[in-house]
Amino acid sequence: MPHRPGFAVTDAAEPLRGATVVLAVWAFRAADTEGSDRITVGGRETTPDNGDSAHRAAMDLVDELLVEGVPQAGPVLDGTLRRAGAALTAAGRHWPAAALEEIRHQLAEHAVRGARHDRETHALLLAELHARHRAAPTDPAAVLGTAETARTALRRVRLVALGCHVDGSARDRTADVFFAHPDAGVVLVLHKRWELPDGQAPTGHDLGSRRILGTNLRTLAAANVVSEATSRTAGRAVEISRGRIATTSVTPVGAAWDDLPPGLLVADLAAQFPAPGALPPRLVRPRVEAESMRVLAVAEAGPVRYDPAAQRLEAVLRDPAGNEALLSAAHNPHCPGTLDALADALASGTADRISGSLRHDRGRVLLSPLAVRTSRGVLVPDLAPGDGDTTLPVAPHPPDDPLTTALEQALAALAEAAHHGLKNLTATDHDILESAAALLHRTGFHTTADKVSAVTTTLRTHGPAPATSHWHTAVIRLATTLELHRTGPYTSP
């Protein structure tokens, strides 16, 4: 019967389940008695510092990198960043630690001229360390990840596959398999990477036959997995052990999507998906993988259209409540059959469930699809065969938005400055920053333009070190404004 401890659900491993449930019952009773929604378990309060010194040390490293530039970063900095990340993790600041780890990967990709190095991504990661430190007093647990454990061993769990996404470079291929955890109401991600021998360039369809957990990727991406040897990270990446064969079973997903809880199966977008602006800015949100991954119930799928300029396939979807969403799938060079497979599935007229990432974009909901369920079963487009040679109906390319253009140009100019290093900027670099600020001012973003201008003014009058704070402020403001503008009508530039 309900409201009894025996019915409690916890991700704790079996030996710890009893203690976890007892602590939870005690915490709820104490919260009711004290009239509070926050209770400290363990008999001691968090120390006042709680990793602030580690966070400040990480920001100092970020500022040094911002001043010197990416080309000047060497192996010594990599080791220093690794130690700084470990200190943040030890202090329970998992989200800043994760950002620092991504900075390390960006630097490593640049060192080998890897395709995954992106100057704007690098700039946003640098600013994120400062953004989280500034926003920490509002909600430390959410902004810093202090309420999470680095790794959690799960008891016997059932995971429902939602499809997978394939990516890669000239040196490797990666597959991210997404799993719904119905009992916890969250989505977890299993990462797999393959090094490529010289001369090999497998497609997503080729990878479908690679073995994972005793089965192939194509089967795993549309399966139910029951495991007793599973753990997840703070960011909800999942690891499933292959140690004992009996501990993990893989079966077809069947109708399991229909049994997902309302938080994961969306039948009414207006009621079940957060409104634009309801979430904190991405720079300070919890660093949770697949936070927006859902299964959308589809009552009707409109005809597909292809935008050749953006290399993107689109189709209007309607949920059972009549709400619209725009399916939007970009061309993936590693998976040439993806868009054709999607078009065929939608044209079948039997697509009733589509998994993917939901987000708001300019007043409407966008779905980036992972898998489609039709009368023939679950299709994972990234693993589909084909050469991408099917002719698709052409959609007109939407006109450029001058507000978005101004914000993106300013963010790109600051990212370029961070790449070269603030102390290495030329007169041309200064001109580009000033032109970006002038465009923002003409577009109506007066305060944001002033923040960008402050970077060049401080560089000229006081030098690169004092300019780092202005650079972070400008990037944080630009990234947040751009996010708000993209997720809904933006009326206050």
Side-chain angles (χ1 to χ4, degrees):
M1 59 189 296
H3 309 298
R4 287 181 171 267
F7 289 86
V9 175
T10 172
D11 283 340
E14 194 60 37
L16 301 176
R17 184 176 187 277
T20 302
V21 172
V22 170
L23 281 173
V25 171
W26 172 85
F28 277 104
R29 288 179 177 174
D32 289 342
T33 301
E34 297 179 13
S36 170
D37 61 356
R38 183 171 302 219
I39 294 295
T40 300
V41 177
R44 60 182 176 85
E45 295 291 336
T46 305
T47 58
D49 178 74
N50 196 28
D52 191 63
S53 58
H55 200 149
R56 290 183 183 277
M59 290 193 299
D60 288 342
L61 285 174
V62 161
D63 288 348
E64 179 183 344
L65 178 58
L66 175 59
V67 169
E68 297 293 333
V70 173
Q72 284 69 44
V76 173
L77 179 60
D78 179 81
T80 306
L81 289 171
R82 189 188 297 272
R83 290 191 295 273
L88 285 168
T89 299
R93 299 199 171 199
H94 299 294
W95 308 149
L100 212 59
E101 183 66 11
E102 281 199 43
I103 292 172
R104 284 187 57 247
H105 289 311
Q106 282 291 314
L107 295 177
E109 282 292 307
H110 178 268
V112 296
R113 294 179 173 81
R116 292 191 182 93
H117 176 74
D118 180 80
R119 297 184 181 189
E120 185 174 314
T121 299
H122 173 74
L124 292 174
L125 289 168
L126 298 183
E128 182 179 338
L129 268 294
H130 282 257
R132 291 191 181 277
H133 191 265
R134 296 179 187 184
T138 61
D139 188 349
V143 173
L144 303 176
T146 54
E148 302 286 340
T149 54
R151 186 170 300 277
T152 303
L154 307 181
R155 64 189 178 93
R156 191 172 189 267
V157 294
R158 179 177 69 91
L159 304 176
V160 179
L162 304 180
C164 84
H165 173 65
V166 172
D167 200 356
S169 67
R171 297 175 290 112
D172 65 5
R173 289 291 184 273
T174 62
D176 293 338
V177 186
F178 295 82
F179 292 98
H181 184 349
D183 289 340
V186 299
V187 176
L188 308 176
V189 189
L190 176 68
H191 299 292
K192 182 64 179 178
R193 179 176 180 270
W194 295 275
E195 292 279 355
L196 296 183
D198 291 340
Q200 289 194 14
T203 65
H205 178 64
D206 298 329
L207 295 178
S209 60
R210 299 287 181 99
R211 305 291 290 181
I212 305 177
L213 300 178
T215 187
N216 59 58
L217 175 60
R218 185 170 292 106
T219 299
L220 185 66
N224 287 307
V225 176
V226 178
S227 177
E228 298 174 0
T230 306
S231 64
R232 69 171 178 86
T233 66
R236 294 183 190 165
V238 64
E239 292 185 1
I240 303 175
S241 172
R242 295 182 300 174
R244 292 177 293 161
I245 297 178
T247 61
T248 301
S249 65
V250 179
T251 58
V253 73
W257 284 10
D258 295 333
D259 299 326
L260 295 175
L264 297 178
L265 176 60
V266 177
D268 184 347
L269 283 164
Q272 294 177 268
F273 190 60
L279 297 175
R282 184 168 298 279
L283 283 179
V284 295
R285 278 214 296 273
R287 273 184 150 265
V288 173
E289 298 198 54
E291 65 171 353
S292 59
M293 199 63 63
R294 303 286 189 277
V295 173
L296 178 66
V298 177
E300 181 183 351
V304 298
R305 296 288 186 269
Y306 179 69
D307 180 353
Q311 293 188 296
R312 186 174 296 277
L313 181 141
E314 296 181 345
V316 175
L317 310 174
R318 287 183 177 83
D319 67 21
N323 303 295
E324 284 192 0
L326 181 66
L327 179 144
S328 180
H331 168 69
N332 185 341
H334 307 299
C335 306
T338 294
L339 299 188
D340 291 349
L342 266 174
D344 290 343
L346 295 173
S348 72
T350 62
D352 66 343
R353 300 283 187 272
I354 302 178
S355 67
S357 176
L358 286 169
R359 70 183 190 278
H360 291 281
D361 184 84
R362 302 181 190 181
R364 68 192 313 173
V365 177
L366 255 60
L367 172 66
S368 300
L370 270 182
V372 182
R373 192 180 75 177
T374 68
S375 59
R376 291 174 291 180
V378 174
L379 165 75
V380 182
D382 273 12
L383 306 181
D387 298 322
D389 54 1
T390 301
T391 302
L392 300 172
V394 176
H397 185 66
D400 292 332
D401 172 17
L403 300 181
T404 299
T405 299
L407 294 167
E408 288 179 340
Q409 285 189 10
L411 189 56
L414 288 167
E416 193 72 15
H419 178 80
H420 294 301
L422 297 186
K423 78 173 189 178
N424 302 316
L425 300 188
T426 65
T428 301
D429 296 322
H430 283 272
D431 290 343
I432 292 173
L433 286 169
E434 289 171 352
S435 296
L439 180 58
L440 286 170
H441 199 277
R442 291 196 302 272
T443 317
F445 295 103
H446 304 301
T447 303
T448 306
D450 292 341
K451 301 299 182 185
V452 176
S453 295
V455 177
T456 55
T457 301
T458 307
L459 279 171
R460 287 195 174 101
T461 57
H462 296 91
T468 57
S469 178
H470 294 286
W471 184 93
H472 290 298
T473 298
V475 171
I476 291 168
R477 188 176 183 90
L478 280 166
T480 304
T481 304
L482 190 55
E483 181 180 344
L484 290 172
H485 178 61
R486 285 171 172 165
T487 57
Y490 189 75
T491 58
S492 179

Coordinates of all heavy atoms in Angstrom, one line a residue, residues 108-143:
A108 N 43.0 20.1 -25.9 CA 43.6 18.9 -26.5 C 43.2 18.7 -28.0 O 44.0 18.3 -28.9 CB 43.1 17.6 -25.8
E109 N 41.9 19.0 -28.3 CA 41.5 19.0 -29.7 C 42.2 20.0 -30.6 O 42.6 19.7 -31.7 CB 40.0 19.2 -29.8 CG 39.1 18.0 -29.4 CD 39.3 16.9 -30.4 OE1 39.1 17.2 -31.6 OE2 39.6 15.8 -30.0
H110 N 42.5 21.2 -30.0 CA 43.2 22.2 -30.8 C 44.6 21.8 -31.0 O 45.2 22.0 -32.1 CB 43.2 23.5 -30.0 CG 44.0 24.6 -30.7 ND1 45.3 24.9 -30.5 CD2 43.6 25.5 -31.7 CE1 45.7 25.9 -31.2 NE2 44.7 26.3 -32.0
A111 N 45.2 21.1 -30.0 CA 46.6 20.7 -30.2 C 46.8 19.7 -31.3 O 47.9 19.7 -31.9 CB 47.1 20.1 -28.8
V112 N 45.8 18.9 -31.6 CA 45.9 17.9 -32.7 C 45.1 18.3 -33.9 O 44.9 17.5 -34.8 CB 45.5 16.5 -32.2 CG1 46.4 16.0 -31.1 CG2 44.0 16.5 -31.8
R113 N 44.7 19.6 -33.9 CA 43.9 20.1 -35.0 C 42.6 19.3 -35.2 O 42.2 19.0 -36.3 CB 44.7 20.2 -36.3 CG 45.8 21.2 -36.2 CD 46.6 21.2 -37.5 NE 47.6 22.3 -37.6 CZ 48.8 22.2 -37.0 NH1 49.2 21.1 -36.4 NH2 49.7 23.2 -37.1
G114 N 42.0 18.9 -34.1 CA 40.8 18.1 -34.1 C 39.6 19.0 -34.5 O 39.5 20.2 -34.2
A115 N 38.6 18.3 -35.2 CA 37.4 18.9 -35.6 C 36.5 19.4 -34.5 O 35.6 20.2 -34.7 CB 36.6 18.0 -36.6
R116 N 36.7 18.8 -33.3 CA 35.8 19.1 -32.2 C 36.2 20.4 -31.5 O 35.4 20.9 -30.6 CB 35.7 18.0 -31.2 CG 35.1 16.7 -31.7 CD 34.8 15.7 -30.6 NE 34.2 14.5 -31.1 CZ 34.9 13.4 -31.5 NH1 36.3 13.4 -31.4 NH2 34.3 12.3 -31.9
H117 N 37.3 21.0 -31.8 CA 37.7 22.3 -31.2 C 36.8 23.4 -31.8 O 36.7 23.5 -33.1 CB 39.1 22.6 -31.4 CG 39.5 24.0 -30.9 ND1 39.6 24.2 -29.5 CD2 39.7 25.1 -31.5 CE1 39.9 25.5 -29.3 NE2 40.0 26.1 -30.5
D118 N 36.1 24.1 -31.0 CA 35.3 25.2 -31.4 C 35.5 26.4 -30.6 O 35.5 26.4 -29.4 CB 33.8 24.8 -31.3 CG 32.9 25.9 -31.8 OD1 32.7 26.0 -33.0 OD2 32.3 26.6 -30.9
R119 N 35.8 27.6 -31.2 CA 36.3 28.7 -30.5 C 35.1 29.3 -29.7 O 35.4 29.8 -28.5 CB 36.8 29.8 -31.5 CG 38.0 29.3 -32.2 CD 38.7 30.3 -33.2 NE 39.8 29.8 -33.8 CZ 40.7 30.4 -34.6 NH1 40.5 31.7 -34.7 NH2 41.7 29.8 -35.1
E120 N 33.9 29.3 -30.2 CA 32.8 29.8 -29.4 C 32.5 28.9 -28.2 O 32.3 29.4 -27.1 CB 31.6 30.0 -30.2 CG 30.4 30.6 -29.5 CD 29.2 30.9 -30.4 OE1 29.4 31.4 -31.5 OE2 28.1 30.6 -30.0
T121 N 32.6 27.6 -28.4 CA 32.4 26.7 -27.2 C 33.4 26.9 -26.2 O 33.1 27.0 -25.0 CB 32.5 25.2 -27.7 OG1 31.4 25.0 -28.7 CG2 32.3 24.2 -26.6
H122 N 34.7 27.1 -26.6 CA 35.8 27.4 -25.7 C 35.5 28.6 -24.9 O 35.7 28.7 -23.6 CB 37.1 27.5 -26.4 CG 38.3 27.9 -25.6 ND1 38.9 27.1 -24.7 CD2 38.9 29.1 -25.5 CE1 39.9 27.7 -24.1 NE2 39.9 28.9 -24.6
A123 N 35.1 29.7 -25.6 CA 34.8 31.0 -24.9 C 33.7 30.8 -23.9 O 33.8 31.4 -22.8 CB 34.4 32.0 -25.9
L124 N 32.6 30.1 -24.2 CA 31.5 29.9 -23.3 C 31.9 29.1 -22.1 O 31.5 29.4 -20.9 CB 30.3 29.3 -24.0 CG 29.6 30.1 -25.1 CD1 28.6 29.2 -25.8 CD2 29.0 31.3 -24.5
L125 N 32.8 28.2 -22.2 CA 33.3 27.4 -21.1 C 34.1 28.3 -20.1 O 34.0 28.2 -18.9 CB 34.2 26.2 -21.6 CG 33.4 25.1 -22.3 CD1 34.4 24.1 -23.0 CD2 32.5 24.3 -21.3
L126 N 35.0 29.2 -20.7 CA 35.7 30.1 -19.9 C 34.8 31.0 -19.0 O 35.0 31.1 -17.8 CB 36.6 31.0 -20.7 CG 37.7 30.3 -21.6 CD1 38.6 31.3 -22.3 CD2 38.6 29.4 -20.7
A127 N 33.8 31.5 -19.7 CA 32.8 32.4 -19.0 C 32.0 31.6 -18.0 O 31.5 32.2 -17.0 CB 31.9 33.1 -20.0
E128 N 31.7 30.3 -18.2 CA 30.9 29.6 -17.3 C 31.5 29.5 -15.9 O 30.7 29.5 -15.0 CB 30.7 28.2 -17.9 CG 29.7 27.3 -17.1 CD 29.5 25.9 -17.6 OE1 29.7 25.7 -18.9 OE2 29.2 25.0 -16.9
L129 N 32.8 29.3 -15.8 CA 33.4 29.3 -14.5 C 33.0 30.5 -13.7 O 32.7 30.5 -12.5 CB 34.9 29.1 -14.6 CG 35.5 27.7 -14.6 CD1 35.3 27.0 -13.3 CD2 35.0 26.8 -15.7
H130 N 33.1 31.7 -14.3 CA 32.8 32.9 -13.6 C 31.3 33.1 -13.4 O 30.9 33.6 -12.4 CB 33.3 34.1 -14.5 CG 34.8 34.3 -14.3 ND1 35.3 35.3 -13.5 CD2 35.9 33.6 -14.8 CE1 36.7 35.2 -13.6 NE2 37.0 34.2 -14.3
A131 N 30.5 32.7 -14.4 CA 29.0 32.8 -14.3 C 28.5 32.0 -13.1 O 27.7 32.5 -12.3 CB 28.4 32.4 -15.6
R132 N 29.0 30.8 -12.9 CA 28.6 29.9 -11.8 C 29.0 30.5 -10.5 O 28.3 30.4 -9.5 CB 29.1 28.5 -12.0 CG 28.4 27.8 -13.2 CD 28.7 26.3 -13.2 NE 28.1 25.7 -14.4 CZ 26.8 25.3 -14.4 NH1 26.1 25.4 -13.4 NH2 26.3 24.8 -15.5
H133 N 30.2 31.1 -10.4 CA 30.7 31.7 -9.2 C 29.8 32.9 -8.8 O 29.5 33.1 -7.6 CB 32.2 32.1 -9.3 CG 32.8 32.4 -8.0 ND1 32.9 33.7 -7.5 CD2 33.4 31.7 -7.0 CE1 33.5 33.8 -6.4 NE2 33.8 32.5 -6.0
R134 N 29.5 33.7 -9.8 CA 28.7 34.9 -9.5 C 27.2 34.5 -9.1 O 26.6 35.1 -8.3 CB 28.6 35.8 -10.8 CG 30.0 36.3 -11.2 CD 29.8 37.2 -12.4 NE 31.1 37.6 -12.9 CZ 31.3 38.4 -13.9 NH1 30.3 38.9 -14.6 NH2 32.5 38.8 -14.3
A135 N 26.7 33.4 -9.7 CA 25.3 33.0 -9.4 C 25.2 32.1 -8.2 O 24.1 31.8 -7.8 CB 24.7 32.3 -10.7
A136 N 26.3 31.6 -7.7 CA 26.2 30.6 -6.6 C 25.4 31.0 -5.4 O 24.7 30.1 -4.9 CB 27.7 30.2 -6.2
P137 N 25.5 32.2 -4.9 CA 24.7 32.6 -3.7 C 23.2 32.4 -3.9 O 22.5 32.2 -2.9 CB 25.1 34.0 -3.5 CG 26.4 34.2 -4.1 CD 26.4 33.3 -5.4
T138 N 22.7 32.4 -5.1 CA 21.2 32.3 -5.3 C 20.8 30.9 -5.1 O 19.7 30.6 -4.5 CB 20.8 32.7 -6.7 OG1 21.5 31.8 -7.7 CG2 21.2 34.1 -7.0
D139 N 21.5 29.9 -5.5 CA 21.1 28.5 -5.3 C 22.4 27.6 -5.5 O 22.6 27.0 -6.6 CB 20.1 28.1 -6.3 CG 19.5 26.7 -6.1 OD1 20.0 25.9 -5.2 OD2 18.5 26.3 -6.7
P140 N 23.2 27.4 -4.5 CA 24.5 26.7 -4.6 C 24.3 25.3 -5.1 O 25.1 24.9 -6.0 CB 25.0 26.7 -3.2 CG 24.4 27.9 -2.5 CD 23.0 28.0 -3.1
A141 N 23.3 24.6 -4.7 CA 23.2 23.2 -5.1 C 22.9 23.1 -6.6 O 23.5 22.2 -7.3 CB 22.0 22.5 -4.3
A142 N 22.1 23.9 -7.1 CA 21.8 23.8 -8.6 C 22.9 24.4 -9.4 O 23.2 23.9 -10.5 CB 20.5 24.6 -8.9
V143 N 23.5 25.5 -9.0 CA 24.5 26.2 -9.8 C 25.8 25.5 -9.8 O 26.5 25.5 -10.7 CB 24.6 27.7 -9.3 CG1 25.8 28.4 -10.0 CG2 23.3 28.5 -9.5

